[in-house]
Amino acid sequence: MSSPARVPRRLSFLPFRGSSAVAEGQLTWAMMRGPAWRRLLPDVYVHRDGYRADDHRMWCEAVALRLPPGAAVAGRSAAYLWGADLLDLTAPVTVLLPRTARMRPHPRVRIVRSVLPDTDRTRFAGLPVTTALRTAFDLGRQPARTDALVAVDALLNRRVVKLTDLRAYAAARSGWPGTRLLREVLALAEPLSESPMETRLRLLLLDAGLGPLVAQHDVLDARGRFVGRVDLAWPARRVAVEYDGDHHRERTHFRQDVARLNALRAAGWLVLRFTADDVLRHPRATVALVRQALAERAAAPRRH
C-alpha cells in the first residue's frame, strides 16, 4: 500500500498560488488535480482540510492572491476583517481597484472601482485591505440608508473607527458620491449600538418620532445601585426597549434575563422586548406598542 502524499506545511491550511507551488517544487500540476486539493480561483488552491465553503476569511485570502498592485479587500469584506460581520454566507469578496487596474471577473469577487490612495490602504492580518476609516466611509455612502447606518454603527462599536475621525474624513471628501447620505448616517450614528438589529430597531423608533432616546443606559435603583443595562431607554419615563436575539433563548441566559427583568420592574421600569420578526415584518405594530407605553408613562404619576 502506498503512503499518502506529504502535504507541505505552508500549504496545509491557507490558499496559495498553484504556479508558485509548482515553481518552488512543492507540488506538481498532476498532484493538484487530485482529491487533496480544491481549486478556488484561477491558479488559486487550498488543501481540502482548509476548505470551508462559507468561510469568508478563506475567500478573502484567496482573492488577495489575485489582486493587482494598488488594490485592496474593501466594503463588507473589509468590515468583516475589521471585526464587523455584516455578511451572508454566500457573499462574494468585495475588492476596491484603482480605475486603471485590471482584474478578471469571477462569481466570488465583487469589483468596485474608485480612487484609492496609499493612505487608504493597509495590511491587516497579512491581507491588503482598506483602512477601517475608508471602509466606514465607503459603507456609509452605500444605500439603503438603514444598511449604511448598520455598517457604520458596527465599525464604531468595534472601536476601529472614531466618530469624530469619520466626520472629519467625510468633511474633507464632501464632493464624493453618496456623501449626502453619509452626512445623514453620521447624524444618526451610535457607537454604543451592539448589533445590527439593535441599530435597525433604534432607527425604526427614531423615524417614528419617538426620540430622543439613550443607547445602553445603566439603570440604578433608588439607592443608586446598579440594576441593569438596557439597549434603548427613555430615562425620564423609565421605559426601555430591547432587542431579543437568539442567544436570549439559551437556558442560562434566559434565567439571567428573568432575574434582570424582575429587578428592572422592581425599580419602576417598563421593558418592552422585540425580536427580528417584530422589527422587520411588523414595524408598525412595534412602533405602536412603544408609543403607547411612552404615552401611558407620561400620563401616570411618577413613583418615588
Side-chain angles (χ1 to χ4, degrees):
M1 177 183 292
S2 62
S3 59
R6 184 178 65 85
V7 179
R9 182 174 177 80
R10 286 179 54 198
L11 310 182
S12 61
F13 58 93
L14 291 176
F16 61 92
R17 293 291 294 259
S19 56
S20 297
V22 171
E24 295 171 6
Q26 296 178 308
L27 296 172
T28 65
W29 290 114
M31 292 169 65
M32 283 187 288
R33 287 192 290 269
W37 307 97
R38 296 293 300 262
R39 184 177 182 269
L40 302 178
L41 302 169
D43 195 33
V44 178
Y45 297 79
V46 70
H47 189 262
R48 63 187 175 193
D49 291 343
Y51 176 77
R52 301 290 185 275
D54 59 357
D55 183 354
H56 198 73
R57 172 61 185 268
M58 178 200 74
W59 288 106
C60 287
E61 296 271 3
V63 170
L65 293 170
R66 301 290 305 180
L67 287 179
V73 176
R76 291 175 180 265
S77 296
Y80 177 84
L81 296 176
W82 286 114
D85 189 356
L86 308 167
L87 293 160
D88 61 54
L89 297 180
T90 60
V93 176
T94 299
V95 298
L96 189 57
L97 270 60
R99 299 189 186 282
T100 58
R102 296 289 178 266
M103 185 176 182
R104 182 182 300 178
H106 191 276
R108 296 295 318 198
V109 182
R110 175 176 177 265
I111 297 175
V112 178
R113 296 187 180 277
S114 177
V115 175
L116 184 57
D118 290 342
T119 52
D120 284 352
R121 289 188 296 114
T122 187
R123 296 195 72 83
F124 184 81
L127 300 178
V129 61
T130 51
T131 63
L133 197 57
R134 175 63 189 267
T135 302
F137 175 74
D138 286 344
L139 291 176
R141 295 183 292 130
Q142 296 179 9
R145 169 175 169 263
T146 301
D147 293 335
L149 181 59
V150 164
V152 169
D153 273 5
L155 288 163
L156 292 173
N157 183 258
R158 296 300 299 176
R159 298 183 180 181
V160 294
V161 177
K162 293 182 179 179
L163 186 54
T164 52
D165 293 342
L166 183 53
R167 284 173 174 159
Y169 185 94
R173 294 157 180 78
S174 59
W176 286 46
T179 51
R180 181 177 180 180
L181 170 61
L182 179 60
R183 285 193 295 271
E184 184 178 358
V185 166
L186 294 181
L188 295 165
E190 175 52 76
L192 296 178
S193 188
E194 292 188 340
S195 72
M197 283 308 305
E198 186 178 317
T199 293
R200 292 178 184 276
L201 176 56
R202 180 172 60 86
L203 184 58
L204 173 65
L205 299 174
L206 290 174
D207 283 345
L210 298 180
L213 47 80
V214 179
Q216 299 302 317
H217 178 68
D218 288 345
V219 174
L220 308 178
D221 65 13
R223 297 183 180 181
R225 296 173 301 188
F226 178 77
V227 176
R229 178 173 294 169
V230 294
D231 292 344
L232 303 169
W234 292 261
R237 300 189 187 182
R238 286 189 284 187
V239 172
V241 166
E242 297 201 301
Y243 169 66
D244 191 356
D246 290 339
H247 66 283
H248 288 277
R249 293 165 177 77
E250 298 171 2
R251 182 178 295 272
T252 301
H253 206 123
F254 176 76
R255 290 173 177 169
Q256 293 171 347
D257 275 356
V258 169
R260 174 173 164 277
L261 288 172
N262 287 339
L264 289 168
R265 181 178 176 82
W269 279 72
L270 172 62
V271 181
L272 301 176
R273 303 178 71 174
F274 298 104
T275 65
D277 192 63
D278 295 318
V279 178
L280 299 176
R281 299 184 63 185
H282 307 287
R284 291 184 180 178
T286 298
V287 167
L289 285 170
V290 176
R291 193 186 303 278
Q292 180 181 1
L294 291 170
E296 290 174 354
R297 278 303 177 96
R302 175 83 183 232
R303 282 179 50 187
H304 297 287

